[in-house]
Amino acid sequence: MRAEDSIKGWPWRLHGDGKSIRPGEIVLPEERMTWPRTIGIGAQHVVAMFGATFLVPLLTGFPPSTTLFFTAIGALLFLLITKGMMPSYLGSSFGLLAPIGAVTGFAATSGEKLDPSAMALAQGGIISVGVTLALVGIVVHFAGVRWIEVTMPPVVTGSIVALIGLNLAPAAWGWVQQAPLTAVITIAAIIVSSVLFRGMLGRLSILIGVFIGYGAALVQGEVDFSTVETAAWVGLPTFHAPAFDLGYLGLFLPVVLVLVAENIGHVKSVAAMTGRDLDGLTGRALFADGLATTIAGAGGGSGTTTYAENIGVMAATKIYSTAAYLCAAIIALILSLLPKFGEIIATIPPGVLGGAATVLYGMIGLLGVRIWAENRVDFSNPINLNTAAVSLIVAIANYTWSPAGLEFAGIALGTASAIVIYQVMRAIAKWRGTAPIPDSAPEAGQPEVTDRR
């Protein structure tokens, strides 16, 4: 059943009595529970995305409240553009960390503020990602998603996702070195809480780890509250105008491929959980995320993407109501208008950032490995083996190439390597009959694991 055939339009209709869900039932996107319960589920979605979403501005030096503001705007746009049929919250994308850091040179441990001119150039890069992703969405909407699946089969998608996380490893080590004890406590808290608690608490292990690490940093006198005292209780976030330099495009544009994979993964995941064919919404989802990223870059926020954490909340609650995401966006919007709250978040010290980044960057890297595993990528096949091997080393070592004033670094070159090596080797093998030709299309179960920042 296609989603378009099952939606009666807005507003949402009540699921049963709105108070309970019978065994085996789910709350569909066009349904809702009672509004108090729906608001509560929305709050759960905010908590689920909160830890990862706030880490991005902390690691890049961008204003946390501004980032949260644009994630809320992005989530509202996503609901509008997908006609209320695709439940999703657009949180901060980790795929943009490396190019932003390469442009700004910001170090969270230096104690210095982010250079406004460097931030503006990074925003220009974010806008280029958003515009390109929106254009891809338009093409997919009219041409279908098959061409992306052929261009980016599981071995390529897995390589790109993995190399993003592995390329960032040196940054995590830099933060850990500033406060090793706090970093170790944070890492241990994240690891233990992920297996100690059940249900939602287990899914919030990163947030719990950050809280515990923050407490350890407080005890050791590593937290500075001077900016919190002077911040207002209520006010608009700080907005920044962008600037553009074509020389940085090579750093940012490869991230488009990661966002494409994440959005397709999100659509496929929701389709599997709701038992619907949602392929017709893929173009809309890509366009919505591209537009949200463009707007965020224009105002000083980080780029956005769909979040696996929120997939987890839906899987746990069996509530796929887009009304809950409307509530989540409104809650996030309200929080972004509390400057003192944003300054409190900004006090998280380097040791905590380093500990959380160690786990998160590693998770991003292993998500690529998981894509390979769930799609049974055969690494005895030289096409798959060389595609992954070369692209990962290029990214980990951060190879750079600077032709004609442009700069291409590890993520850009690694991404290009994965796509080019796969397609060239596949063409030669098909011509010569020297190796089995890998299946270009991902299996139905693959996309869920790509849905990660």
Side-chain angles (χ1 to χ4, degrees):
M1 177 174 59
R2 297 188 65 83
E4 290 88 341
D5 298 330
S6 61
I7 304 296
K8 302 301 182 184
W10 301 16
W12 299 267
R13 66 174 184 266
L14 202 63
H15 177 86
D17 62 2
K19 298 178 180 179
S20 60
I21 306 172
R22 296 177 182 175
E25 288 187 348
I26 62 173
V27 179
L28 294 168
E30 69 271 20
E31 298 178 326
R32 65 172 176 84
M33 305 299 286
T34 60
W35 280 113
R37 288 172 174 80
T38 299
I39 292 171
I41 294 297
Q44 284 191 60
H45 281 297
V46 172
V47 172
M49 66 84 187
F50 195 82
T53 285
F54 259 100
L55 270 180
V56 172
L58 292 177
L59 299 177
T60 59
F62 280 42
S65 292
T66 308
T67 295
L68 186 62
F69 175 85
F70 283 111
T71 67
I73 298 300
L76 291 172
L77 281 173
F78 192 94
L79 287 178
L80 181 64
I81 292 171
T82 60
K83 301 190 293 186
M85 295 187 287
M86 179 58 61
S88 177
Y89 191 92
L90 296 185
S92 302
S93 171
F94 275 75
L96 285 158
L97 284 177
I100 289 174
V103 172
T104 64
F106 174 76
T109 58
S110 66
E112 299 178 357
K113 294 290 186 180
L114 177 62
D115 179 7
S117 61
M119 177 180 173
L121 290 172
Q123 290 174 237
I126 293 171
I127 291 173
S128 71
V129 171
V131 170
T132 306
L133 183 62
L135 292 175
V136 171
I138 293 173
V139 173
V140 169
H141 183 70
F142 292 102
V145 75
R146 174 65 184 174
W147 64 277
I148 292 179
E149 295 174 342
V150 172
T151 305
M152 297 173 58
V155 65
V156 174
T157 304
S159 298
I160 294 172
V161 173
L163 65 83
I164 290 285
L166 298 177
N167 177 267
L168 291 166
W173 171 234
W175 289 310
V176 170
Q177 287 178 298
Q178 300 298 311
L181 178 58
T182 302
V184 170
I185 291 172
T186 303
I187 294 171
I190 293 173
I191 292 171
V192 172
S193 61
S194 66
V195 291
L196 181 64
F197 302 115
R198 300 178 184 274
M200 271 297 298
L201 280 179
R203 296 182 182 277
L204 299 177
S205 59
I206 292 174
L207 193 61
I208 293 171
V210 167
F211 275 128
I212 293 175
Y214 192 86
L218 276 173
V219 172
Q220 299 173 78
E222 298 173 356
V223 183
D224 179 10
F225 288 107
S226 59
T227 58
V228 177
E229 297 171 358
T230 57
W233 281 103
V234 179
L236 286 172
T238 303
F239 299 114
H240 296 266
F244 299 91
D245 186 335
L246 294 179
Y248 293 126
L249 288 182
L251 295 172
F252 283 90
L253 291 184
V255 179
V256 173
L257 300 177
V258 177
L259 298 182
V260 167
E262 289 175 339
N263 276 274
I264 291 176
H266 187 88
V267 172
K268 295 291 187 181
S269 297
V270 175
M273 291 187 292
T274 59
R276 287 178 165 174
D277 177 7
L278 299 176
D279 283 353
L281 293 176
T282 302
R284 288 177 176 271
L286 291 167
F287 177 79
D289 191 10
L291 181 60
T293 295
T294 301
I295 293 173
S302 304
T304 62
T305 189
T306 52
Y307 260 33
E309 285 87 343
N310 299 103
I311 287 282
V313 173
M314 291 190 288
T317 61
K318 307 301 180 185
I319 297 176
Y320 304 96
S321 171
T322 52
Y325 283 97
L326 173 65
C327 295
I330 293 173
I331 292 170
L333 188 63
I334 292 172
L335 291 176
S336 73
L337 300 178
L338 304 176
K340 195 174 288 289
F341 173 77
E343 290 299 330
I344 291 173
I345 297 300
T347 62
I348 297 178
V352 179
L353 295 178
T358 297
V359 178
L360 280 170
Y361 295 169
M363 284 182 175
I364 296 170
L366 287 178
L367 279 170
V369 177
R370 187 176 173 187
I371 292 171
W372 295 334
E374 296 215 351
N375 286 275
R376 301 180 182 88
V377 174
D378 179 12
F379 284 107
S380 66
N381 187 319
I383 299 175
N384 293 331
L385 181 64
N386 285 285
T387 296
V390 175
S391 62
L392 289 181
I393 292 301
V394 167
I396 293 170
N398 201 34
Y399 286 25
T400 56
W401 179 41
S402 303
L406 299 175
E407 182 177 340
F408 300 93
I411 290 179
L413 296 180
T415 299
S417 298
I419 295 173
V420 172
I421 290 173
Y422 177 85
Q423 296 296 341
V424 170
M425 290 189 70
R426 187 175 187 275
I428 294 174
K430 186 175 182 180
W431 169 52
R432 296 288 294 165
T434 54
I437 306 301
D439 183 9
S440 296
E443 298 176 4
Q446 174 262 333
E448 180 175 355
V449 298
T450 67
D451 179 35
R452 188 78 176 184
R453 281 174 294 286

